[in-house]
Amino acid sequence: MKIASIVARCLLGLIFTVFGLNGFLNFIHQPPPSNPLAMQFFMSVSQSHFAAFFFAMQLIAGLLLLSGYFVPLALTILAAELFNILAFHLTMSPETIAPAVVAAVLWILVFLQYRESFKGIFTAKPATQP
């Protein structure tokens, strides 16, 4: 399982590093979405500069995963990113959801290796500081 987690971590890191960079450099051209609502969403996100923040977080988390440092932090950042990506595809572009599902499965494989780092957030009544 450890080797699968390392491979998944590297693949996930590579995916988010490449697509984070692509958000700034636009070297992978994508066709416009077929859904007009999705096109409005993309226009709003790009014109408000929210996309720059989104791509910067993808790039940072991807580089952290590739380096192997702060992996739980990278997983936390990517959990929010993946939620938004999956929500977009489920609601506005379900025909192109496959890459998002692959990324989510890779995220789960990496998370399983680092789940001890997250055990505190799954406590129903966490301890408080005195």
Side-chain angles (χ1 to χ4, degrees):
M1 182 65 177
K2 186 168 173 100
I3 292 174
S5 175
I6 292 170
V7 170
R9 179 177 56 82
C10 291
L11 283 173
L12 192 62
L14 189 60
I15 288 168
F16 280 100
T17 300
V18 167
F19 283 101
L21 280 173
N22 186 56
F24 295 110
L25 305 176
N26 200 24
F27 51 85
I28 302 172
H29 300 286
Q30 298 176 357
S34 59
N35 183 345
L37 190 58
M39 189 61 172
Q40 284 180 334
F41 177 78
F42 279 140
M43 292 301 292
S44 297
V45 167
S46 64
Q47 289 177 356
S48 68
H49 303 291
F50 178 75
F53 175 76
F54 194 76
F55 290 125
M57 291 294 100
Q58 286 183 8
L59 180 60
I60 290 167
L63 290 172
L64 288 174
L65 286 176
L66 288 174
S67 72
Y69 292 102
F70 301 104
V71 173
L73 175 61
L75 288 173
T76 303
I77 293 168
L78 289 181
E81 295 274 337
L82 280 168
F83 175 84
N84 284 305
I85 291 167
L86 288 167
F88 168 80
H89 283 286
L90 284 170
T91 59
M92 291 186 244
S93 186
E95 66 277 358
T96 58
I97 198 168
V101 171
V102 169
V105 169
L106 290 172
W107 185 93
I108 290 168
L109 289 173
V110 179
F111 172 80
L112 290 174
Q113 187 69 31
Y114 289 89
R115 66 184 173 269
E116 280 297 310
S117 299
F118 295 93
K119 70 179 182 180
I121 66 170
F122 295 113
T123 304
K125 291 195 142 215
T128 59
Q129 295 293 323

